[in-house]
Structures are given as C-alpha cells and as structure tokens.
C-alpha cells in the first residue's frame, strides 16, 4: 500500500514523515525545505507474525509493507508554478490514498505561509491546487480523445463524456471523487491517475498540550472533521512532535510514554488502521519454518488471486487452498494439530479470503 503525504509548508508534514518512517527527511522552519520527494517504507505492525514465528520456530518474519511518499509543501498557485510548482505531484499520482496534513497547532516560532492558523482555508488551498493539477491532465487527455471521437469512434465518444464531466467539476476546484461513475467509467478513470479521485485521510497535527483534550474541545479539529464528513474522508488526530519523540525511545519506554499521554497506539499504527479500512485492505498469512509472512490484499479477493500475490504460477495452476483462521491455529498449537482436529478447511476457486487466514496453496503448473 502506498500513501502520498501532502500539505502546506510548515504544517508538520515532514516531521510526521520522519517520525513514521525514521527516514530522516529534512525538516526545518522555512517553506520548501523538501526539495525532492522523500520515500519511506515501513513494516506494518502485526503481532500475529511474532506469535506464528514462535509457533513455527521460523527463520524469517516478513511483514506487509507500507510506502509513504512525502512531497514539497504546496502553496496557492502551485498549479501555475508558484513555489516549487506541481512538478512533484507526479510522485503521488500512483499512490492509493492521500494523507493530507493540516496544521491545527499554534506556535509563534513556526511560521505559517498565510500568516495565521486556519484549517478550512488551508484545506481549500490544497484541494484547489490538486484539482487544477488534475484539470491539466484531463484537458490533455481530452485533446487526444476528441480527435477519435470526431471520427465516430464509439469508445472515445463515451470517454469524452467522462472527461467533460471531470473538467466541469475540477474547473470549480472540487475533487473528482465527488462524482459518481459506472463500473466501465471507473475502469477508464483508473487510467487517468487523478489525485483527487483518491481517498483522503486528514491528519490534524495538534500541539502536545492538546493531546489530553477531547477532539471536540479543539476548534481547529472540529472544523477539519466537518469538512471531512462532507467529503466522506477520514480524520486522524496526531501530534507530529510527539511521534518524533516516540521514535527515540525503546519499546518499553515508548509504551510508558503512550500510557502517560492516554494513547493506546502510535500515530503509525493508527494511520495504518485508518488506511487499511479506507482502502478495504486485509492481510492473509503464510507460515512455515522458513518464513512467516503477511500479504496485503483487497477485501473480497478470492483464493486464486490471493495465491497470485505470492507468485503468478500459484494463480495459474491453482488447485485448492488449505485454510485455518489465525486464532484457531494458535488455539490448536500448530497446523498439524489443527488438521488433526479437523479445523483446517479445504477451499476452492470461489473462496473469499478473510483477514487473518493462514493459508497453504496447492497448485500445478
């Protein structure tokens, strides 16, 4: 899974990226500190892997991976080349979702490009710039399709209709995700790689002193939640500064620090949980002495396609899958014991894989 991180300069975007990925992206109190896109890959925390690792005495544990792409802060006029322009936006076009970091903290020592804290204005600025960037892409595609449509090509004619629909809404500075499309139109939409079709997580970056407050007690967060509700987006309240402090602690100190702050999990854990839910992602597991591994798939994926995540030959030559839920496997004390108790199911091509399924695929190529 790949998440693109966007926001105005000095909202805590790179600080959050640093904290989550420990990638060491430069973070400083001046606009456009991020000159090139920063890319960080992190392991998705999954306690089930450690348990299975002990159960199988495995030599290797491989978690699912999450990729973050942090681009330079956008400013008003970015689509027209202001600031560092929109040349970095190409870096997030292939991401599956957007983490939009919104400044919800006051700090006189950290400048704001607009001179004041105003989440609604900041969100609108970014959304307009992303929409205008998409508009440019749509208009270029429209020019190509228009020539074929004029010649009577049926496919190009309906594609032109989709592009004109997109052009209208993007021209108003609204995201493309506010529109509804048929299944066929959605397939065409995916080829356009529009940023504003992607689901959004608004990350409200608050002050450490606000962490012990209810979200509804922080006016800036209330504003963001109202905007997100209207857009059907997700909201995550986080303190980038605290997340950065957490990275400097060992596991025991970290747990105590989180407890003192009244938090049950880190920002990374919560971003992953929200991201997985937003994109309908789940993990199935494979386990053995050589390796215990998590594989990320979309909810609703059938067994052969899940097998294909491991290797294309597994999908091509799929015969059956032997399946046991993680909890059942642990309760039984291992795969052999689960099989002896009749807890291992044999599933065919129509089986829909569930989160936490421990799977063994049989195939023939």
């Amino acid at each position: 899974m790949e998440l693109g991180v966007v926001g105005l300069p000095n909202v805590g975007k790179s600080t959050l990226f640093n904290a989550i990925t420990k990638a060491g992206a430069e973070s400083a109190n001046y606009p456009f500190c991020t000159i090139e896109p920063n890319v960080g890959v992190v392991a998705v925390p999954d306690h089930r892997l450690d348990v299975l690792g002990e159960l199988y005495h495995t030599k290797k544990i491989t978690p699912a991976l999450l990729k973050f792409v942090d681009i330079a802060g956008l400013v008003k006029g970015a689509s027209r080349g202001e600031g560092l322009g929109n040349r970095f936006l190409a870096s997030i076009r292939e991401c599956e979702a957007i983490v939009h970091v919104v400044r919800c903290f006051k700090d006189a020592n950290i400048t704001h490009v607009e001179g004041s804290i105003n989440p609604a204005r900041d969100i609108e600025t970014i959304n307009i710039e992303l929409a205008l960037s998409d508009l440019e892409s749509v208009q270029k595609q429209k020019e190509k399709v228009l020539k074929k449509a004029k010649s009577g090509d049926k496919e190009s004619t309906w594609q032109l209709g989709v592009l004109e629909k997109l052009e209208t809404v993007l021209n108003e500075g609204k995201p493309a995700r506010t529109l509804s499309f048929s299944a066929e139109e959605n397939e065409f939409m995916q080829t356009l790689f529009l940023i504003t079709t992607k689901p959004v997580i608004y990350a409200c970056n608050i002050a450490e002193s606000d962490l012990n407050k209810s979200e509804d007690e922080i006016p800036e967060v209330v504003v963001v939640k109202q905007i997100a509700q209207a857009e059907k987006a997700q909201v995550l309240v986080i303190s980038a500064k605290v997340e950065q402090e957490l990275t400097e602690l060992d596991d025991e100190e970290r747990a105590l620090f989180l407890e003192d702050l009244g938090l049950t999990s880190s920002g990374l854990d919560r971003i992953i949980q929200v991201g997985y839910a937003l994109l309908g992602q789940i993990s199935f597991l494979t386990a053995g002495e050589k390796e215990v591994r998590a594989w990320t798939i979309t909810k609703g994926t059938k067994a052969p396609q899940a097998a294909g995540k491991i290797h294309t030959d597994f999908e091509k030559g799929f015969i059956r899958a032997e399946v046991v839920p993680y909890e059942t496997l642990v309760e039984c004390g291992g795969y052999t014991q689960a099989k002896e108790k009749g807890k291992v199911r044999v599933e065919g091509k129509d089986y829909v894989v569930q989160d936490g399924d421990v799977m063994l695929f049989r195939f023939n190529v």
Side-chain angles (χ1 to χ4, degrees), residues 284 286 295-297 301-322 348-349 351 353 359-363:
F284 75 89
T286 53
W295 304 86
T296 301
I297 55 171
T301 298
K302 292 186 177 180
Q305 287 69 51
K309 292 286 282 187
I310 300 173
H311 198 287
T312 52
D313 285 350
F314 283 30
E315 182 176 357
K316 288 175 189 172
F318 180 87
I319 300 172
R320 65 180 182 274
E322 295 177 17
K349 292 182 178 181
Y351 176 68
V353 179
M359 306 187 74
L360 177 64
F361 296 105
R362 302 293 182 185
F363 69 101

Side-chain angles (χ1 to χ4, degrees), residues 85-155:
N86 63 0
R87 63 194 174 98
F88 297 111
L89 293 176
S91 305
I92 60 171
R93 287 199 178 277
E94 294 187 25
C95 292
E96 289 147 295
I98 300 295
V99 178
H100 182 162
V101 183
V102 184
R103 181 168 170 175
C104 294
F105 68 90
K106 296 181 179 73
D107 188 333
N109 296 316
I110 299 178
T111 58
H112 190 293
V113 288
E114 296 288 349
S116 61
I117 308 302
N118 186 329
R121 177 203 59 210
D122 294 353
I123 287 171
E124 184 181 34
T125 297
I126 296 295
N127 284 347
I128 287 173
E129 294 308 322
L130 295 179
L132 291 176
S133 177
D134 277 351
L135 178 63
E136 188 182 343
S137 297
V138 166
Q139 288 173 335
K140 283 179 182 175
Q141 187 65 27
K142 185 183 169 185
E143 286 174 21
K144 294 177 187 175
V145 170
L146 193 57
K147 292 175 185 175
K148 290 184 180 179
K150 282 180 178 176
S151 68
D153 182 71
K154 288 182 180 178
E155 186 177 34

Side-chain angles (χ1 to χ4, degrees), residues 56 58-62 286-293 295:
Y56 281 84
T58 192
K59 293 172 183 173
K60 183 181 179 184
I61 292 178
T62 306
T286 53
E289 191 180 328
K290 287 185 179 178
E291 183 182 40
V292 166
R293 184 163 181 166
W295 304 86

Side-chain angles (χ1 to χ4, degrees), residues 273-341:
Q273 287 164 10
V274 173
Y276 265 58
L278 192 65
L279 295 168
Q281 304 282 294
I282 60 171
S283 293
F284 75 89
L285 312 168
T286 53
E289 191 180 328
K290 287 185 179 178
E291 183 182 40
V292 166
R293 184 163 181 166
W295 304 86
T296 301
I297 55 171
T298 303
K299 198 178 288 184
T301 298
K302 292 186 177 180
Q305 287 69 51
K309 292 286 282 187
I310 300 173
H311 198 287
T312 52
D313 285 350
F314 283 30
E315 182 176 357
K316 288 175 189 172
F318 180 87
I319 300 172
R320 65 180 182 274
E322 295 177 17
V323 185
V324 55
Y326 163 79
E327 291 83 0
T328 304
L329 182 66
V330 174
E331 282 171 17
C332 293
Y335 184 83
T336 304
Q337 296 89 325
K339 200 164 189 177
E340 286 171 356
K341 293 177 181 178

Side-chain angles (χ1 to χ4, degrees), residues 198-215:
K198 302 177 191 303
V200 172
I201 301 169
Y202 285 112
C204 298
N205 187 13
I206 64 171
E208 184 176 349
S209 56
D210 285 337
L211 276 174
N212 57 359
K213 292 181 183 176
S214 158
E215 291 178 7

Side-chain angles (χ1 to χ4, degrees), residues 67-85:
K67 184 177 177 182
F68 286 91
V69 181
D70 170 39
I71 65 167
L74 299 171
V75 293
K76 194 179 288 183
S79 58
R80 300 189 306 274
E82 293 294 326
L84 290 178

Side-chain angles (χ1 to χ4, degrees), residues 123-326:
I123 287 171
E124 184 181 34
T125 297
I126 296 295
N127 284 347
I128 287 173
E129 294 308 322
L130 295 179
L132 291 176
S133 177
D134 277 351
L135 178 63
E136 188 182 343
S137 297
V138 166
Q139 288 173 335
K140 283 179 182 175
Q141 187 65 27
K142 185 183 169 185
E143 286 174 21
K144 294 177 187 175
V145 170
L146 193 57
K147 292 175 185 175
K148 290 184 180 179
K150 282 180 178 176
S151 68
D153 182 71
K154 288 182 180 178
E155 186 177 34
S156 297
T157 302
W158 70 257
Q159 287 180 352
L160 181 62
V162 172
L163 291 166
E164 286 176 342
K165 198 174 170 182
L166 283 165
E167 189 176 26
T168 300
V169 75
L170 291 169
N171 221 1
E172 295 170 358
K174 295 176 183 174
R177 61 181 171 274
T178 56
L179 295 170
S180 297
F181 295 99
S182 67
E184 188 181 21
E185 288 172 335
N186 271 325
E187 273 189 43
F188 171 59
M189 287 278 289
Q190 285 172 16
T191 67
L192 301 176
F193 296 103
L194 299 181
I195 300 169
T196 63
T197 58
K198 302 177 191 303
V200 172
I201 301 169
Y202 285 112
C204 298
N205 187 13
I206 64 171
E208 184 176 349
S209 56
D210 285 337
L211 276 174
N212 57 359
K213 292 181 183 176
S214 158
E215 291 178 7
D216 295 334
E217 291 180 284
I218 307 170
E220 293 83 4
V221 172
V222 172
V223 169
V224 176
K225 287 173 85 172
Q226 289 169 345
I227 293 167
Q229 189 174 12
E231 290 184 9
K232 295 180 181 174
Q234 296 289 320
V235 176
L236 188 68
V237 178
I238 200 166
S239 169
K241 188 180 176 185
V242 168
E243 293 301 320
Q244 196 167 40
E245 289 171 7
L246 282 169
T247 64
E248 296 163 9
L249 305 175
D250 61 34
D251 290 345
E252 193 176 332
E253 289 174 325
R254 206 162 115 139
L256 288 170
F257 189 26
L258 285 170
E259 191 179 333
D260 288 343
L261 292 169
L263 300 173
T264 54
S265 58
S266 71
L268 172 60
D269 291 347
R270 285 180 286 137
I271 285 175
I272 290 169
Q273 287 164 10
V274 173
Y276 265 58
L278 192 65
L279 295 168
Q281 304 282 294
I282 60 171
S283 293
F284 75 89
L285 312 168
T286 53
E289 191 180 328
K290 287 185 179 178
E291 183 182 40
V292 166
R293 184 163 181 166
W295 304 86
T296 301
I297 55 171
T298 303
K299 198 178 288 184
T301 298
K302 292 186 177 180
Q305 287 69 51
K309 292 286 282 187
I310 300 173
H311 198 287
T312 52
D313 285 350
F314 283 30
E315 182 176 357
K316 288 175 189 172
F318 180 87
I319 300 172
R320 65 180 182 274
E322 295 177 17
V323 185
V324 55
Y326 163 79

